[in-house]
Amino acid sequence: MSEPGVVIVGAGHAGGSAAAFLRQYGFTGPLSLIGEEPLAPYQRPPLSKAWLKGEADAEALMLRPDSFYSENDIVLRLGVRAERIDRDARTVILSGGEAVPYATLILATGARARRIPLPGLDLGGVLALRTAADADQLKSALGPGRRLAVIGGGYIGLEAAASARALGAEAVVIEREPRVLARVACEALSTFFQDYHRKHGVHFILDAGVEGIVGGDGRAAAVKLAGGDLVEADAFLVGVGAVPNQELAVDAGLHCSDGIVVDLEARTSDPAIFAIGDCTRRPMPLYGARMHRLESVPNALEQAKQAASALTGRPAPAGEVPWFWSDQYDLKLQIAGLPFDAVQTVIRGDIAAAKFAVFHLDAEHRLQAVEAVNAPPEFMAGRLLIGQRKAVAPDKLRDMSISMKEVAA
Amino acid sequence: MAKITYIAHDGSSRTLEVKAGLTVMEGAVKNNVPGIDADCGGACACATCHVYVDEAWMDKVGAASAMEESMLDFAEGVKPNSRLSCQIKVTDALDGLVVTTPESQH
């Protein structure tokens, strides 16, 4: 048995980055990275975008080359599942029964696609999109003459629909709410995206309940809607959100609440255990005493830095404004902040020209969030303004004759 | 292949062989060069891969797109030779390129 060092469970973007930052910051002790998937850490965002469209290859997807891990003395153990944490013995018990000792444990277990209780979900051709293996399956099911049915009009579903169109396949998106992106974007943005997708040939069935997926010979053939209508397709993607992989932490008695609860050092309720990335619920210092779950690469990197800094005695990294992005067709959507306590929205730019931003202000006119479509200055300035927490006049934001540089000055 | 030298804010430097076709950002990230964060993975969406291109190489790396320019406008410590390294594709012609990373990527 080796000397206990830092053990990271979860070899995704968060786990892989934590290992890299620890070495970058001068940590010289034993460091191992345990992952359930057979692949070294890779980037998930392209799976529904560039990679799905065939614009990025497997090598481009990898966060770092395999040689990186041996060169940096990082023990990479892939295809292994962590089954249990023994906090008293400070060990992680792996699927084979081996107990790996740790001085510090970092949980980077990510999130998994939410499964809704739906008949027919196990039929062949019904897919989720979370891993490279999922994306492989989806890609091979798409092409000219094929039809993709997406259940759930969130980012994953819309990005997959756009990629399907780029590959020459038909795409239909079925959404329970009256508009797409209902949970994650404002109404103006939803409407804009629906229109843009329609122009690119995507069909929408909104306000629609799904009864199940039907088929024969073990293969899915159609989505059965609540009214009984059938939506036939060749491939089916269920994209209805993600749930945090917190079971290891719950079983170990760590404080969890729809996510492993951590502080701003990414420490859990056990000081020897950190948690980072999609699996966590974290403080949001910009938004009062709120705790929130952020599913994004910037958050994974921020928390990886927090944990690596705490473990190497570096000063805590500066707080970041949360942000997200999505690419669909020729649209670059960039979102900064979260619209907590927002009471007013201000639109800047021209929605019809697909170049605009929606600003969300609270009652004191402080910018809480900005959603920018093909509008990088609005996004970048918005991100600064959100971080500064000072009031901005709505008229100034709306006025295109005042540059965003001036607004942010 | 091109030899690229990444100089950190503190003056320390690393010279790496980067495959043609990758970006200057990917060359840094894949080799754990400090100071280039690249939060968005190269989508020109975040400006956390900001570098200063050595003056002698400014012509060879080409001009920034309008999108990149407007991202750079808001990056910290921008200078005339600022670029987003995710937007510089490595070619054999860039053999010898020298870039310096800023103090902070925010």
Side-chain angles (χ1 to χ4, degrees):
Chain A
M1 221 189 264
S2 57
E3 174 203 346
V6 176
V7 174
I8 304 172
V9 172
H13 216 129
S17 301
F21 287 130
L22 278 167
R23 286 295 185 234
Q24 217 179 85
Y25 297 171
F27 175 74
T28 52
L31 177 54
S32 56
L33 185 56
I34 299 169
E36 198 176 347
E37 287 181 67
L39 297 173
Y42 60 90
Q43 309 179 64
R44 288 185 209 281
L47 293 178
S48 51
K49 313 179 185 91
W51 190 88
L52 193 57
K53 287 188 283 183
E55 291 166 4
D57 62 9
E59 199 188 336
L61 216 54
M62 302 314 290
L63 213 49
R64 296 190 170 80
D66 285 346
S67 57
F68 167 80
Y69 300 94
S70 48
E71 282 163 14
N72 286 278
D73 209 6
I74 297 165
V75 179
L76 193 55
R77 303 188 57 171
L78 302 173
V80 193
R81 197 182 151 78
E83 298 285 358
R84 197 163 59 80
I85 303 166
D86 184 337
R87 286 169 58 191
D88 294 328
R90 293 207 175 177
T91 56
V92 181
I93 292 91
L94 305 183
S95 36
E98 182 192 344
V100 179
Y102 65 81
T104 303
L105 180 64
I106 300 179
L107 298 174
T109 47
R112 59 179 177 273
R114 185 189 300 278
R115 274 179 74 95
I116 36 177
L118 215 55
L121 222 50
D122 294 324
L123 290 169
V126 181
L127 308 168
L129 182 47
R130 191 76 205 167
T131 64
D134 293 337
D136 252 334
Q137 273 188 290
L138 181 60
K139 194 176 184 178
S140 64
L142 298 177
R146 300 289 187 88
R147 188 167 203 233
L148 171 70
V150 179
I151 298 177
Y155 285 118
I156 290 282
L158 291 185
E159 287 172 3
S163 299
R165 294 299 297 144
L167 292 167
E170 282 182 53
V172 53
V173 176
I174 303 162
E175 167 59 47
R176 185 182 59 183
E177 303 292 328
R179 61 181 175 100
V180 298
L181 303 175
R183 288 179 308 123
V184 289
C186 70
E187 200 164 346
L189 202 66
S190 291
T191 307
F192 168 78
F193 271 98
Q194 273 162 218
D195 292 346
Y196 211 83
H197 277 269
R198 282 198 182 106
K199 261 187 236 160
H200 284 80
V202 175
H203 300 278
F204 288 98
I205 304 174
L206 302 173
D207 227 344
V210 170
E211 216 154 77
I213 298 171
V214 295
D217 297 331
R219 284 221 46 97
V223 178
K224 190 177 182 193
L225 300 179
D229 285 351
L230 293 179
V231 181
E232 290 180 4
D234 305 289
F236 301 83
L237 175 66
V238 184
V240 291
V243 289
N245 292 324
Q246 61 173 7
E247 287 72 12
L248 264 185
V250 170
D251 292 347
L254 300 178
H255 182 203
C256 295
S257 168
D258 182 32
I260 307 168
V261 175
V262 294
D263 64 15
L264 282 175
E265 286 190 336
R267 224 181 275 265
T268 68
S269 52
D270 178 338
I273 305 179
F274 292 74
I276 58 176
D278 287 8
C279 67
T280 67
R281 177 168 294 271
R282 52 161 289 172
M284 303 292 291
L286 283 174
Y287 300 97
R290 276 196 181 80
M291 299 290 285
H292 198 70
R293 208 155 64 69
L294 292 172
E295 293 165 13
S296 72
V297 168
N299 175 58
L301 292 174
E302 182 183 13
Q303 289 185 301
K305 282 180 204 163
Q306 290 171 351
S309 299
L311 285 169
T312 53
R314 279 169 74 107
E320 310 220 13
V321 175
W323 72 277
F324 314 86
W325 83 97
S326 176
D327 292 326
Q328 296 163 42
Y329 312 107
D330 53 349
L331 302 176
K332 181 181 290 295
L333 170 66
Q334 296 162 293
I335 299 174
L338 293 157
F340 291 128
D341 305 321
V343 294
Q344 184 181 2
T345 62
V346 175
I347 294 177
R348 176 185 172 96
D350 185 357
I351 296 181
K355 197 172 167 58
F356 67 98
V358 185
F359 294 97
H360 300 263
L361 306 171
D362 71 2
E364 278 91 52
H365 286 172
R366 287 179 308 190
L367 189 59
Q368 303 293 89
V370 56
E371 298 161 308
V373 173
N374 293 339
E378 280 70 12
F379 165 73
M380 291 295 282
R383 202 163 69 157
L384 289 174
L385 287 166
I386 294 165
Q388 290 165 358
R389 313 303 309 129
K390 46 177 206 205
V392 199
D395 286 344
K396 243 172 136 182
L397 282 174
R398 202 176 285 121
D399 187 348
M400 290 294 282
S401 72
I402 305 174
S403 77
M404 283 312 294
K405 259 195 136 150
E406 290 169 76
V407 177
Chain B
M1 270 310 191
K3 266 201 178 63
I4 298 180
T5 300
Y6 299 85
I7 303 177
H9 173 70
D10 65 9
S12 63
S13 82
R14 276 179 72 185
T15 300
L16 300 163
E17 294 268 359
V18 182
K19 231 167 77 177
L22 292 180
T23 63
V24 172
M25 175 279 284
E26 287 173 308
V29 170
K30 287 182 190 285
N31 292 289
N32 209 18
V33 172
I36 293 185
D37 291 354
D39 286 6
C40 76
C44 195
C46 70
T48 61
C49 65
H50 176 200
V51 296
Y52 305 116
V53 173
D54 186 272
E55 300 289 352
W57 291 88
M58 282 304 285
D59 287 344
K60 282 218 170 87
V61 298
S65 69
M67 174 83 82
E68 183 185 337
E69 288 281 3
S70 51
M71 295 295 293
L72 274 171
D73 261 350
F74 292 91
E76 211 171 275
V78 179
K79 299 178 189 170
N81 60 336
S82 286
R83 288 290 311 268
L84 294 183
S85 56
C86 75
Q87 301 301 304
I88 305 175
K89 269 249 194 281
V90 175
T91 61
D92 294 342
L94 292 187
D95 189 29
L97 175 67
V98 178
V99 298
T100 304
T101 52
E103 184 170 6
S104 136
Q105 288 289 0
H106 298 283

